[in-house]
Amino acid sequence: MRTGQGTLALLRTSWQYPEKAVQARAIFAETGNRMDQLSLFNTSAQDEHSRAAARAAKLRRDIEHHNRLYHQLDAPEITDEAFDALFRELVSLEERFPDLRTLDSPTRRVGGAVLPYLETRPHRERMYGLDNVFSAEEWEAFVQKASRALPEAPAAVMNAWWADPKLDGLACELSYENGVLVQALTRGDGEVGEVVTEAMRTVRNLPLRLAGEGPFPRRIEIRGEVLMFRREFEELNNRQTKLGQKRFANPRNAAAGSLRQLDTNVTAGRGLRFLAYSLGEVEAPGMADWRTHSALMSSLKAWGFDIPPEGRICRGLDEARGYYEHLGQIRDDLPFEIDGVVYKLDDREAQAALGFTARAPRFAVAWKFTSRKAETRLRKISIQVGRTGVLTPVAELDPVSLGGVMVSRATLHNEDEIRRLDLRENDMVIIQRAGDVIPDVLGPVLEKRPEGLPSYEFPHVCPVCGSPARRLEGEAAWRCLNMACPAVIMRSIVHFVSKAGLDVDGVGAKWVEALIESGRVKSPADLFTVTKQELMSYERMGEVSAGNFVDALRQAKEHATLTRFIAALGIRQVGEQTARTLAGHFHDMDELERAGVEELMQLPDIGPEVAGSIRAFFETESNRILLERFRAMGLWPEGGGQERGDGTLSGRKVLFTGTLSRPRDEFRRMAEAAGANVVSGVSKTLDYLVAGDKPGSKLDKARELGITVLDEEAFLALLTGKNDAGEAAGKQGGQE
Ligand code: IVH
């Protein structure tokens, strides 16, 4: 690490030190946008402005040049202090002349934008997936099929394939207009992606302006993969643990989560990178196109993109196989995760002639690696007690590296699985990791089994409370049936606020556990009574985190939907889908409580077991007391109320567009809780378009098709059934 201490040195290294990026940003924020000293009719001011413009342009080029030397090539030419000075000069010019803060200004790399929601936009050209092959035979069959499809093509053309690693991140498309980055879209479903332009601008290794003198295409879409390297992934997970937040399962999820942040300051602190590997639409009138994919890759490099390492041409099966084996060998030494090799026909004309099937190109294929295995010792089988009292066996392993990630635990599923594998404590075992960090145990290595190892006996008592466990008929799981088991209570409270429950952002499991362990929280209702002051008395809980915690719960209480509330209660057999069905049918918990088994069973997908379990929930005294506490504190959401004949959105297609007063996700949930199907595109079958501020082209299209347009207020009225639905909708539609 370099030693520079200035603000901008902080920026240069801010993906390792996000808190420093925050400091640095605060310094910029203070400055504001002031144009007061500038009079447009004063020639000396004009001179000053044009001198500033020229200087800013030079600074932008120099800073980006040094940025690239530092972050991409690891070969800095100037000290951090000198870099700081350049950056500061640019910041101060942009302060004085805000119009100089161009789209490609490196000052945009520090984040700062906070978006209300992620907008979606269609790709101009669909982003296809890739077909997979898993063996040399399948690879050869793919290549032969391509050759048969182009009988006229010379053998040499059909024999030259560009090969590079298949990156395990998320695909993204960057649009450059006249060399300047103007838009970034995630792949999404291939047709429509999410707009992540601001977030992508914080990714240090991508050019905000294409390098070199140009000329540049009028418009060009560069596609590639957004990755989190292993090192940043581990650092992020360490930070998550410290903050009591959930760890990410793998770098791909972490990259996706970091990119799709509304607050781009978060993205800026996550150290994402972009590696370019192909093109989307190109508008380059009068410019020569690339004849081969290899030539394209050279141009991408010259423009300042990082490209996947080790890319090369393979001719014929032997070379292709050799390359596959080579990458398999160096795989764990790469700083990021890959899951195979991608082969692309090098000749671009032949690529175009082959075209695409319904889902993938005919000119490119992924040869996937088989999943990684490792051998280690099974130290011990420990038992975890879940929210519903299920006892889950977990393999405690001697730590072993599996694809660059240290693994020390694996899931064992249940008693039958342990018996099927005949696993014993102290066995050497083979483990395999498919995609996530938590691997599977494939089985023991019997040759290495020490003499006299006793078979494993699954415990018949709960390891936490000691009460007898039962394996109910027809179930694979043993359960602790003690409703007061501390483990069951802890898990239920954690579940209440988790993603599967109320989904309270910023209330990490670690803190909930600490509150329970200290005895302050004994039921999910207690969480809502914890004050900021109390929280701050816990070790490592600062004022900001404590404030966030309390705010998040208050927000959740105010905005909870009936679906989330029902899901949060953790009624056995009632997951999110069933919760949605119930919330779409019943007005509130009172109505649900009054429903008998027969009424419940008339609802879609609710059978006697689920109905019985809902009844059992209400018949339990402690649950009724808990519900009364929620009602008293105002956590009492109302649902769609399908039976009431009005206000329902059941089966209706709804689309949200434009800026709404709350995150779009919240609106989506509300709509879904009322039975609506939330869609992303305008079509004839759309029932309602809910338009916020700056609705854009979707509104135009909806109007063209005569679709009912609602503003936010009308939508809420429709949802809560406060107005007659038809009337509210009709009025709004007419008004537009
Ligand atoms: S080329 C038309 N090269 O893997 C072919 N794709 O599972 C364009 N991917 O979504 C893609 N590494 O985005 C190419 N070296 C690489 C890649 C790569 C990863 C992505 C690709 C696709 C996915 C398919």
Side-chain angles (χ1 to χ4, degrees):
M1 193 190 82
R2 297 170 54 154
T3 51
Q5 289 301 310
T7 313
L8 285 317
L10 300 179
L11 287 174
R12 292 180 86 175
T13 51
S14 67
W15 68 32
Q16 282 129 24
Y17 304 102
E19 68 284 2
K20 294 188 180 170
V22 172
Q23 285 171 16
R25 225 172 13 256
I27 297 172
F28 298 142
E30 268 175 27
T31 58
N33 286 345
R34 279 178 277 115
M35 277 197 69
D36 39 8
Q37 282 108 346
L38 180 69
S39 154
L40 289 174
F41 301 102
N42 174 327
T43 34
S44 77
Q46 271 175 358
D47 285 352
E48 199 188 344
H49 183 272
S50 59
R51 271 197 308 278
R55 178 68 187 150
K58 167 115 175 63
L59 284 168
R60 284 197 298 269
R61 272 199 309 277
D62 290 355
I63 290 168
E64 280 301 83
H65 170 72
H66 291 298
N67 227 342
R68 190 167 135 69
L69 289 175
Y70 185 86
H71 282 297
Q72 287 173 263
L73 305 176
D74 214 5
E77 279 172 359
I78 59 172
T79 62
D80 280 3
E81 289 74 15
F83 180 85
D84 280 10
L86 296 177
F87 205 111
R88 248 192 265 270
E89 190 185 344
L90 180 58
V91 169
S92 85
L93 281 176
E94 289 179 357
E95 271 163 30
R96 284 187 51 213
F97 305 104
D99 63 309
L100 298 183
R101 188 158 190 258
T102 55
L103 285 180
D104 61 338
S105 172
T107 60
R108 292 192 182 256
R109 291 207 191 265
V110 293
V114 179
L115 313 172
Y117 59 87
L118 287 185
E119 196 187 332
T120 54
R121 247 175 240 166
H123 291 283
R124 297 190 179 202
E125 269 180 23
R126 178 163 160 201
M127 284 182 86
Y128 285 88
L130 287 170
D131 279 339
N132 294 325
V133 296
F134 293 92
S135 66
E137 292 71 39
E138 287 178 16
W139 185 88
E140 203 166 23
F142 181 89
V143 170
Q144 277 168 5
K145 199 166 170 196
S147 302
R148 278 200 305 276
L150 285 189
E152 257 91 85
V157 162
M158 298 311 289
N159 204 32
W161 294 75
W162 177 265
D164 55 17
K166 183 167 189 311
L167 312 169
D168 197 8
L170 73 152
C172 183
E173 177 182 82
L174 307 176
S175 306
Y176 288 82
E177 283 177 9
N178 303 311
V180 176
L181 176 66
V182 294
Q183 175 177 281
L185 280 185
T186 63
R187 186 186 125 142
D189 64 1
E191 303 273 1
V192 175
E194 282 168 322
V195 179
V196 288
T197 317
E198 294 299 332
M200 282 304 283
R201 284 207 171 100
T202 71
V203 173
R204 296 296 161 102
N205 78 331
L206 67 80
L208 295 175
R209 164 187 290 273
L210 300 179
E213 294 306 311
F216 300 116
R218 182 148 75 204
R219 196 167 179 291
I220 186 164
E221 294 172 346
I222 313 288
R223 293 176 174 180
E225 204 86 349
V226 177
L227 295 176
M228 188 176 286
F229 283 19
R230 287 201 185 98
R231 188 171 140 198
E232 278 77 29
F233 173 68
E234 272 162 32
E235 285 171 357
L236 171 62
N237 265 351
N238 291 342
R239 289 204 300 271
Q240 292 290 101
T241 306
K242 278 201 197 125
L243 293 171
Q245 310 252 313
K246 230 176 142 170
R247 294 167 66 91
F248 290 93
N250 54 49
R252 179 176 10 93
N253 291 3
S258 304
L259 184 63
R260 299 178 63 259
Q261 293 286 331
L262 297 178
D263 180 350
T264 58
N265 297 318
V266 177
T267 317
R270 296 275 174 92
L272 296 177
R273 322 223 186 180
F274 178 82
L275 301 189
Y277 50 59
S278 74
L279 289 184
E281 196 186 67
V282 183
E283 276 175 46
M287 286 176 71
D289 198 353
W290 300 269
R291 205 178 56 70
T292 60
H293 190 79
S294 9
L296 166 64
M297 296 311 281
S298 305
S299 289
L300 291 179
K301 252 173 98 167
W303 280 342
F305 290 98
D306 280 343
I307 62 172
E310 303 280 331
R312 72 184 65 150
I313 298 278
C314 292
R315 292 190 166 82
L317 177 63
D318 284 346
E319 281 186 26
R321 192 197 342 239
Y323 184 82
Y324 176 82
E325 284 165 3
H326 164 66
L327 275 200
Q329 275 160 11
I330 63 162
R331 178 180 185 189
D332 291 349
D333 304 327
L334 293 173
F336 48 82
E337 305 228 321
I338 66 173
D339 59 352
V341 175
V342 179
Y343 298 87
K344 288 156 247 188
L345 195 57
D346 196 41
D347 189 286
R348 299 214 336 130
E349 206 176 279
Q351 285 188 3
L354 282 169
F356 299 84
T357 68
R359 58 167 301 268
R362 290 198 187 86
F363 56 83
V365 70
W367 185 352
K368 299 276 287 249
F369 292 137
T370 46
S371 44
R372 273 171 302 202
K373 297 184 179 70
E375 189 180 308
T376 187
R377 196 173 60 96
L378 171 60
R379 281 188 194 161
K380 182 175 165 353
I381 296 175
S382 62
I383 303 289
Q384 280 184 351
V385 185
R387 170 171 69 84
T388 56
V390 170
L391 309 188
T392 305
V394 175
E396 310 277 355
L397 308 164
D398 276 349
V400 61
S401 163
L402 196 52
V405 177
M406 289 306 283
V407 167
S408 55
R409 311 184 92 196
T411 39
L412 288 172
H413 307 288
N414 53 45
E415 179 184 27
D416 292 348
E417 177 74 359
I418 298 176
R419 193 168 293 153
R420 183 180 71 80
L421 299 172
D422 183 24
L423 281 179
R424 306 180 185 191
E425 288 180 328
N426 278 315
D427 260 332
M428 292 304 289
V429 293
I430 305 287
I431 58 170
Q432 168 180 304
R433 189 160 76 93
D436 286 357
V437 167
I438 301 181
D440 265 327
V441 176
L442 295 183
V445 186
L446 290 176
E447 309 87 79
K448 296 191 181 167
R449 174 170 287 172
E451 204 114 349
L453 271 195
S455 326
Y456 179 73
E457 289 298 330
F458 203 92
H460 296 182
V461 293
C462 170
V464 175
C465 70
S467 45
R470 291 265 180 290
R471 186 168 163 172
L472 303 179
E473 209 169 295
E475 282 193 14
W478 284 82
R479 281 175 197 276
C480 167
L481 296 181
N482 173 14
M483 299 223 301
C485 172
V488 171
I489 291 174
M490 161 102 72
R491 295 274 139 244
S492 326
I493 300 177
V494 169
H495 167 83
F496 193 85
V497 289
S498 74
K499 265 219 151 16
L502 275 197
D503 190 10
V504 186
D505 243 1
V507 174
K510 284 269 146 55
W511 288 112
V512 177
E513 284 171 16
L515 285 163
I516 298 168
E517 269 160 17
S518 71
R520 172 62 182 82
V521 165
K522 296 193 174 68
S523 98
D526 292 337
L527 278 176
F528 296 87
T529 65
V530 176
T531 64
K532 193 169 150 188
Q533 277 66 30
E534 279 180 274
L535 279 170
M536 281 164 62
S537 69
Y538 285 74
E539 215 180 305
R540 289 213 309 265
M541 179 59 108
E543 187 170 354
V544 175
S545 321
N548 289 344
F549 190 104
V550 174
D551 278 352
L553 281 162
R554 200 192 53 236
Q555 291 261 348
K557 192 171 83 185
E558 281 167 18
H559 302 313
T561 61
L562 187 54
T563 301
R564 300 250 56 93
F565 186 64
I566 295 174
L569 291 171
I571 304 171
R572 200 164 289 177
Q573 319 244 30
V574 177
E576 175 145 3
Q577 188 54 46
T578 310
R580 188 170 296 140
T581 305
L582 294 170
H585 186 80
F586 296 103
H587 177 61
D588 59 13
M589 292 304 284
D590 287 326
E591 228 177 78
L592 176 57
E593 181 171 1
R594 284 196 295 272
V597 166
E598 289 200 345
E599 183 180 356
L600 289 168
M601 280 173 57
Q602 280 166 8
L603 297 177
D605 302 325
I606 295 188
E609 269 187 50
V610 179
S613 155
I614 296 170
R615 291 305 323 147
F617 177 84
F618 286 107
E619 275 151 26
T620 306
E621 175 73 11
S622 57
N623 292 335
R624 286 212 298 267
I625 294 171
L626 179 65
L627 285 177
E628 277 319 310
R629 282 191 68 194
F630 284 134
R631 187 207 300 273
M633 64 171 66
L635 177 50
W636 202 252
E638 297 183 350
Q642 182 168 281
E643 279 206 325
R644 296 131 63 84
D646 60 1
T648 176
L649 292 179
S650 175
R652 301 299 180 89
K653 279 195 189 168
V654 177
L655 186 150
F656 295 97
T657 187
T659 312
L660 303 163
S661 66
R662 285 183 243 155
R664 197 181 284 188
D665 229 29
E666 245 173 63
F667 280 91
R668 178 177 59 74
R669 288 219 180 117
M670 284 191 255
E672 282 174 356
N677 183 5
V678 177
V679 298
S680 61
V682 180
S683 69
K684 277 198 305 239
T685 60
L686 183 66
D687 293 293
Y688 300 113
L689 180 103
V690 182
D693 268 358
K694 306 217 185 86
S697 65
K698 282 188 178 146
L699 178 60
D700 302 336
K701 187 156 176 208
R703 282 195 186 133
E704 249 167 56
L705 295 172
I707 282 153
T708 304
V709 177
L710 305 176
D711 64 9
E712 193 177 312
E713 210 179 320
F715 168 72
L716 292 173
L718 179 70
L719 201 66
T720 52
K722 281 193 186 122
N723 288 348
D724 177 84
E727 206 186 294
K731 255 201 323 245
Q732 288 301 322
Q735 201 178 63
E736 281 296 330

